[in-house]
Amino acid sequence: MKRKNLVISNILYSIIRPILWLFLVVTINPKIVHRKRIPHKEGFIFAGTHTSYFDAFLIGRSTLRPIHFLAKKEIMDVKFLGPILNALGFIRVDRAKKNPGAINSAVEYLKNNKIICLFPEGTINKTEDYILPFKYGAVSLAYKSGKPIIPFAFVGGPKLFNYHVKVIIGNPYYVKTDNLEKENKILEQKVIELIKEGRSYGKRSKKRK
């Protein structure tokens, strides 16, 4: 990670962020639940559900700090969009390969106390299941970097002009072993519990009515 590129990324992020913030306030205005669980300075990994094309914007609303997303190459290779995402510090991932370069870049960001975000499902979940099976990227990065994971979940069907969307933030926790299958199950369960928590708020509101 070159310092010059990081400075450019932070400047561009600070310019674009207010525009995205205004867009979200007008069109979705998500409620961030447990925002205080997000560290102010430490590097960490955001890992959670993938429910819509707005997900990166929604999780970006949870903190003023720049977030560096792992994005599939199909998006990063788009003619005009790709260069912008690259300048914002997005990390290109080729899902057909092992991506040692992407992993090394992500670990380097984390060790420099930056935020990495990825969606372990790998694609938008259009099923009725709580989640799709998680890929191992989040727990692998956490183990290699020694940085915590902060799980999250979107609840309420993120889409334009739906003002019932919640972003539920989980407690930070560390991946303690190299048993990625076991650690992945732990992460999956933590995210499922956040989804259940988020849905319970809706039930409470209906009971009050």
Side-chain angles (χ1 to χ4, degrees), residues 136 139 177-188:
Y136 293 163
V139 292
T177 74
D178 61 356
N179 185 338
L180 298 186
E181 183 175 358
K182 172 185 174 182
E183 298 292 350
N184 214 35
K185 292 297 182 184
I186 293 173
L187 174 58
E188 288 180 339

Side-chain angles (χ1 to χ4, degrees), residues 8-19:
I8 293 173
S9 171
N10 289 342
I11 292 173
L12 189 58
Y13 196 92
S14 66
I15 294 171
I16 293 178
R17 180 185 169 80
I19 300 172

Side-chain angles (χ1 to χ4, degrees), residues 74-153:
E74 289 82 359
I75 294 177
M76 297 295 289
D77 291 344
V78 174
K79 190 172 182 180
F80 297 106
L81 180 61
I84 295 174
L85 298 181
N86 185 62
L88 283 169
F90 280 51
I91 299 172
R92 184 179 185 274
V93 176
D94 186 343
R95 293 183 294 180
K97 298 179 180 179
K98 292 185 177 181
N99 298 288
I103 293 171
N104 291 339
S105 294
V107 169
E108 188 176 357
Y109 274 117
L110 290 166
K111 289 185 175 180
N112 280 277
N113 289 319
K114 305 304 177 184
I115 304 173
I116 291 291
C117 180
L118 66 165
F119 304 104
E121 290 169 293
T123 189
I124 294 174
N125 181 7
K126 298 179 180 179
T127 74
E128 295 298 320
D129 297 331
Y130 284 119
I131 58 172
L132 298 176
F134 280 9
K135 301 182 186 306
Y136 293 163
V139 292
S140 177
L141 283 177
Y143 181 73
K144 290 177 179 178
S145 67
K147 297 296 183 178
I149 292 176
I150 294 185
F152 64 84

Side-chain angles (χ1 to χ4, degrees), residues 23 29 34 37-38 53 59 72 87 116-117 125 159 182 186 196-197:
F23 168 77
N29 198 23
H34 307 314
R37 293 174 175 176
I38 300 173
Y53 294 108
I59 196 63
K72 59 185 180 181
I116 291 291
C117 180
N125 181 7
K159 58 184 178 181
K182 172 185 174 182
I186 293 173
K196 291 178 179 179
E197 178 186 340

